[in-house]
Amino acid sequence: MAFASRKTHRLVHSLGQAVRVRRLALKLSQESLAELADFDRTYVSLIERGARNPSFTNLCRLAHALKVTPSDLLQGIS
């Protein structure tokens, strides 16, 4: 795996962890979050595991469902 690819993977994984932490803080299931964001539950699962890199639009939908700004979700990810 190339350096850029590893770095991208780390970033996507970190975003997934941030989504999961916020979801759990709100006591939401993946299914509930998916419903709020109008996603399939499996998509939320893939994001949380770092297996999917959501588009900016989907990041905004997730943030709205989690009651934070997109930048809040990205806080501390570098």
Side-chain angles (χ1 to χ4, degrees):
M1 187 181 299
F3 174 75
S5 181
R6 283 187 302 228
K7 183 170 175 92
T8 299
H9 179 74
R10 278 198 318 270
L11 294 172
V12 173
H13 189 286
S14 295
L15 173 61
Q17 288 179 324
V19 169
R20 184 173 191 273
V21 165
R22 180 64 182 163
R23 175 180 63 77
L24 293 175
L26 293 174
K27 298 183 179 3
L28 293 172
S29 65
Q30 287 182 344
E31 188 171 349
S32 297
L33 176 56
E35 187 174 311
L36 289 169
D38 196 27
F39 293 143
D40 188 87
R41 186 208 53 84
T42 57
Y43 184 65
V44 171
S45 174
L46 290 168
I47 290 170
E48 288 188 1
R49 289 185 285 137
R52 289 297 302 263
N53 185 1
S55 68
F56 179 72
T57 302
N58 286 348
L59 177 65
C60 291
R61 288 168 56 187
L62 269 175
H64 180 74
L66 292 167
K67 301 178 183 175
V68 294
T69 65
S71 61
D72 288 335
L73 286 177
L74 299 173
Q75 191 76 26
I77 298 173
S78 59

